[in-house]
Amino acid sequence: MFKPIFSAAMLSASLLLTACHTTAINTHPLQSLQLQTQRWTLTHLGTNVLPANLQVQPYLQFDAASKQIRGSDGCNRIMASYQLSQNQLHFSQLSSTKMMCRDANMLLASQFSEVLQQVTSYRIEAHTLQLLDRKGQVLMQLNNRQVAD
């Protein structure tokens, strides 16, 4: 008598855990799809808000097929490989053109590249992509809203 009750309890617990686990996993593909199908424009670097009137607005665009990002750091065109797993995100093989830019743009470009190398995860809320470090601190914030000309 004890064995059938124990078996039923174990089966119920397994189903409950599987249902919870499946729900958590199923939210990831939507964020992954959103991450890899949008152009993300930089709005914040750390806690600093970027001016909207920059000559070249830094941005990232993810290519799911090649696992490459392309974009701009505000001065140079950038490229990198990325690895994506759940909400974990890692960039490698970061390369860029070497254009001469104004001092302010060169500083932004340098900071942008340094921060990308510290990214370990991401979070998307509405139209905002937050790139996070290993402690969960927001390193940069990007937006995918289209701005009217």
Side-chain angles (χ1 to χ4, degrees):
M1 174 141 165
F2 179 70
K3 193 172 185 179
I5 293 173
F6 180 74
S7 295
M10 291 302 290
L11 179 61
S12 297
S14 296
L15 290 174
L16 181 61
L17 288 174
T18 302
C20 291
H21 185 65
T22 302
T23 302
I25 289 175
N26 285 343
T27 60
H28 166 67
L30 295 176
Q31 282 205 353
S32 174
L33 180 64
Q34 187 178 5
L35 175 72
Q36 298 178 99
T37 58
Q38 305 292 319
R39 177 179 168 134
W40 298 97
T41 304
L42 187 66
T43 59
H44 296 75
L45 191 57
T47 57
N48 299 323
V49 178
L50 263 64
N53 62 349
L54 289 174
Q55 190 173 12
V56 177
Q57 198 74 26
Y59 74 92
L60 296 175
Q61 193 151 6
F62 294 77
D63 181 350
S66 67
K67 296 295 185 198
Q68 299 280 315
I69 59 162
R70 289 177 175 50
S72 172
D73 60 14
C75 180
N76 295 291
R77 305 247 342 125
I78 61 168
M79 298 142 277
S81 302
Y82 72 91
Q83 295 175 331
L84 185 63
S85 174
Q86 301 280 330
N87 70 332
Q88 302 300 304
L89 176 63
H90 298 279
F91 298 106
S92 59
Q93 302 172 347
L94 184 64
S95 61
S96 69
T97 58
K98 302 293 181 198
M99 305 290 287
M100 285 299 296
C101 299
R102 294 185 183 141
D103 288 344
N105 289 34
M106 290 294 285
L107 180 60
L108 173 61
S110 176
Q111 291 172 338
F112 188 82
S113 295
E114 285 177 27
V115 167
L116 276 181
Q117 294 176 18
Q118 297 172 31
V119 171
T120 60
S121 62
Y122 75 99
R123 175 174 51 224
I124 297 176
E125 296 174 1
H127 296 279
T128 302
L129 167 64
Q130 295 177 328
L131 298 181
L132 313 167
D133 67 10
R134 61 184 172 79
K135 295 179 181 176
Q137 300 295 313
V138 177
L139 296 170
M140 69 172 66
Q141 195 164 288
L142 303 99
N143 191 290
N144 68 2
R145 291 187 189 165
Q146 298 299 321
V147 178
D149 292 328

